[in-house]
Amino acid sequence: MDVEEKEDHPSYAQLSFHRVQSNARAPLYGTSNECREYIAMTVKSSQLNRSLHRHWYFGKETLIEVVMSPSQFAEAITSLNMGDGVPVTLTAVRKGPLERVERPKFKDERDILDKEFKKDVHDVMQNADEIVAKVQALAEQKTISKTAMKEVVELVMSLRQDINENIPFIAKSFNEFVNKSISSAKVELDAFVDHKIHDYGMEKLKDQAPRSVLLIDRKDEV
């Protein structure tokens, strides 16, 4: 006769991943796109049961839950031992009772880059205007001191450095953002299409299944 044994331990846990679809777009931390489809990762405490000569694992309380875009999920499982990991969105954590975490607000990275670029251009133009004003003031003088000329040269060199270093850096950041957005959107589109193909294929299989199989399937549902 089999005797059922139940065993709990603080280290026992279970990990699961689920594909989630939403009618509304969801903002996720570390992504430049709002997602309709994302991956949820849940960690639960676990109980080990022994019966019928087998081990059975049962998930209990949810300890933590995070969600991520399909591209973040792909990066997480293919980029081991790299930095501090992939940014994900914490949605629930247990500190006594399970606490739901408010979703972050969507940040349009393109808009942020655009504002930063405009500010840097504004700063460069301010420096240029300052140089023009100094040169105009010097042009009205009968004699120009070496100190005044040195000041103007230093301002021109500073302006040159801003144009030569800061502007290309912003352009590089923008290109990286565009490439990352395209790659992320492609992964998310592929995941959406694959999921739809899978659903369509399952429906087709049901349509083509023998009547006896369908009856069994419906009986199981009841």
Side-chain angles (χ1 to χ4, degrees), residues 111-205:
D111 183 56
I112 294 171
L113 282 171
D114 184 56
K115 288 177 180 176
E116 290 174 347
F117 179 73
K118 286 178 179 177
K119 182 183 181 302
D120 284 346
V121 171
H122 178 265
D123 291 343
V124 168
M125 291 304 297
Q126 252 189 340
N127 290 340
D129 290 342
E130 187 179 346
I131 293 169
V132 170
K134 282 188 176 291
V135 171
Q136 286 176 338
L138 289 174
E140 294 175 359
Q141 297 178 10
K142 292 182 179 179
T143 58
I144 302 174
S145 68
K146 288 185 178 180
T147 302
M149 284 299 297
K150 186 178 179 182
E151 266 184 45
V152 172
V153 170
E154 287 176 353
L155 286 171
V156 171
M157 293 298 291
S158 175
L159 178 64
R160 182 181 183 278
Q161 183 176 357
D162 282 342
I163 295 172
N164 192 46
E165 294 182 4
N166 295 345
I167 303 301
F169 178 76
I170 293 171
K172 180 183 176 184
S173 298
F174 183 76
N175 286 333
E176 289 175 352
F177 160 74
V178 170
N179 291 334
K180 182 180 177 182
S181 296
I182 292 173
S183 176
S184 175
K186 184 178 182 300
V187 171
E188 287 158 21
L189 179 61
D190 287 345
F192 175 78
V193 171
D194 288 345
H195 186 63
K196 288 300 181 184
I197 289 173
H198 176 268
D199 286 350
Y200 181 75
M202 293 301 292
E203 288 300 321
K204 279 294 183 182
L205 284 174

